[in-house]
Amino acid sequence: MYNYEYEADVLRFLRLAKYLYCQAPAALEAILRVYGNFDLEHLFELCESIIWEICTDVFFDQDDGYETSFCTFSHPLMDRFCALSGEWSFISRQSDGAWQRKLGDIAEYYLMGTNYSVMQLECFPGQNHAKLRTWFSSDCYDPADFGNSLVDMLLCVQRENKRLEGLLKEAGARKEAA
């Protein structure tokens, strides 16, 4: 492109907008109506609005010990991962702890390993539901970076879900053949 400083921010915003549009076009349209014409001055708020529209069960709070804010949230892809992984663990007679740790590792890799927006992360996987709690850096938080890392994480979980669905389908076919 032209090497302007704002180009990367605009491209990250567009990626977030595309992801939300693929999930819920009406939600993106509502956000864009609130902010009117695209303006670089509102890029931070636009990205934040899109991120929290992508996620579900969003809860914000303050951590007085760290003097920072944190957010607890979920997503249907993470819930599906928990359900499929639990099913696969039962069929393959493996421990539940492995897939529970895997979800936490995926989240940590994408949300903490690629940017400085998150300073701490906890994963709470359950039978059919998972929540992530992220502590945001008070001096390095960038919603465009965090949002794109979140999208990368969700795309990885989506690939894992497809892989698990294939394994379960294969196991079901073997069981029927036997």
Side-chain angles (χ1 to χ4, degrees), residues 68-158:
T68 188
S69 63
F70 67 89
C71 180
T72 306
F73 61 92
S74 186
H75 191 277
L77 287 172
M78 294 186 327
D79 296 343
R80 179 82 174 134
F81 177 82
C82 291
L84 291 170
S85 295
E87 204 175 321
W88 176 247
S89 292
F90 179 75
I91 288 173
S92 64
R93 300 171 194 225
Q94 294 178 355
S95 163
D96 283 343
W99 69 261
Q100 292 173 342
R101 183 66 193 145
K102 184 174 186 172
L103 183 59
D105 288 346
I106 290 169
E108 187 174 323
Y109 176 80
Y110 284 102
L111 299 181
M112 292 183 70
T114 59
N115 70 69
Y116 300 107
S117 292
V118 175
M119 62 182 226
Q120 184 178 339
L121 179 133
E122 289 180 354
C123 183
F124 305 102
Q127 188 77 20
N128 294 313
H129 186 68
K131 287 189 178 275
L132 289 179
R133 180 170 295 146
T134 56
W135 281 260
F136 297 113
S137 173
S138 56
D139 57 345
C140 298
Y141 175 69
D142 179 1
D145 279 343
F146 172 72
N148 276 274
S149 295
L150 177 68
V151 167
D152 289 340
M153 182 200 79
L154 293 173
L155 292 173
C156 176
V157 171
Q158 185 175 15

Side-chain angles (χ1 to χ4, degrees), residues 40-52:
L40 286 173
E41 291 181 25
H42 294 103
L43 200 57
F44 186 96
E45 293 87 4
L46 273 166
C47 290
E48 281 246 311
S49 298
I50 291 171
I51 291 167
W52 304 123

Side-chain angles (χ1 to χ4, degrees), residues 13-35 46 49-50 53:
F13 159 74
L14 289 172
R15 184 166 185 248
L16 286 172
K18 180 182 177 185
Y19 188 84
L20 180 58
Y21 181 79
C22 290
Q23 276 192 323
L28 179 62
E29 290 173 19
I31 290 170
L32 294 176
R33 270 196 304 274
V34 168
Y35 291 98
L46 273 166
S49 298
I50 291 171
E53 194 62 44

